[in-house]
Amino acid sequence: MTDKRVVIVGGHGKIALLAAPKLVAAGYRVESMIRNADQSEEIRAAGAEPVVLDIETADVGALSGAFAGAEAIVFSAGAGGGNPDRTRAVDFEAAVRTITAAEGVGVSRYVMVSYARASVDIENIDPESSFYTYAKAKHDADVAVRESSLDYTIFGPGRLTLEPATGSITLADESGNVVEGGRSDDDKVTSRENVAEAIVHVLATKAAVKKTVNFYDGDTAIADAIV
C-alpha cells in the first residue's frame, strides 16, 4: 500500500467523488471525510476510504488525529447554502480548524477549493443578499490559508458544471476576468471534473504552491496553464 495519503475534507461532494479515483490512479491512498456513515459505500466505490467525522462540530484535536501522517489535505467541503449560520460554520470556521490542524501535525500541502471571485465579491455584493454569507465565508477562509504557513493552492473555478473533463482551461484574474481573450458570463463555467484533474495535477507535480488559481474551461492544457 502506498504511503502517499491524501485526506479530502467534504468527501461526498461532487468534486471530491471525481477527484478520489483520479488520485488513486496517480498512486495516492485517499481518505474521504464524511459526516454521514451511510455514504461510506459510495466513498469506497470511488476508491477511497471513508472517515466519518462531522467537520462542523469536530475540534482541532479530532481533525489533527485524522490528518496526522498525510501528505496533503484537500478542502472541498461546503454547507450548500440556505442556512447562513451553517454556511459560516462549515465554509469558514471548519476550514480554519482544518488549517490549524494541518499546521499542527506538519501536513504542509493544502488545497482549498474556493470560487473565482472570492477575493472581490464582498466588496460588491449587498450584505443583505443571500449570497453574501457564502462569499464572505469563502473570502475569509482563503485569507486564513494565505496567512498560514501551509504550502497551499487555492482553486477558484467559475460556475460549476457536470460536463466531462476536457483537461483544458483558461486562467482568470481575481475579478473573474479571463487573463487572455474575452469571455461572456455564460462562458465562465468550469467542469467539476476539470477541478478534480487540477487537484491531482498540483499535488502530483507540486505546482502552484502558495498561489491562487482562478480558471474556467478553456483551451490550454491544465499542465501548461497551472505551473
Side-chain angles (χ1 to χ4, degrees), residues 18 44 49-50 105 116:
L18 291 164
R44 292 190 183 97
E49 179 180 341
V105 296

XYZ file of all heavy atoms in Angstrom, residues 18 44 49-50 105 116:
47
model
N -15.172 12.868 -7.773
C -14.456 12.794 -9.041
C -12.939 12.754 -8.828
O -12.214 12.092 -9.579
C -14.816 13.997 -9.916
C -16.243 14.030 -10.456
C -16.591 15.424 -10.969
C -16.413 12.994 -11.565
N -16.220 4.258 -0.914
C -15.401 3.088 -1.264
C -15.471 2.798 -2.758
O -14.477 2.413 -3.380
C -15.857 1.865 -0.468
C -15.572 1.954 1.027
C -15.829 0.625 1.726
N -15.616 0.745 3.172
C -16.581 0.950 4.058
N -17.853 1.038 3.652
N -16.305 1.048 5.342
N -11.122 5.576 1.195
C -11.516 5.011 2.485
C -12.334 6.060 3.238
O -11.873 7.190 3.407
C -10.262 4.658 3.295
C -10.556 4.073 4.663
C -9.280 3.751 5.429
O -8.220 3.632 4.798
O -9.364 3.645 6.667
N -13.549 5.727 3.669
C -14.364 6.716 4.371
C -13.865 6.968 5.791
O -13.451 6.048 6.494
C -15.759 6.082 4.396
C -15.505 4.610 4.296
C -14.263 4.445 3.484
N 0.091 19.308 12.822
C 0.654 17.958 12.653
C 1.663 17.897 11.511
O 2.106 16.820 11.119
C -0.454 16.901 12.449
C -1.320 16.795 13.699
C -1.305 17.201 11.225
N -14.125 31.683 -8.181
C -13.297 32.615 -8.947
C -13.282 34.041 -8.417
O -12.259 34.711 -8.513
C -13.726 32.603 -10.420
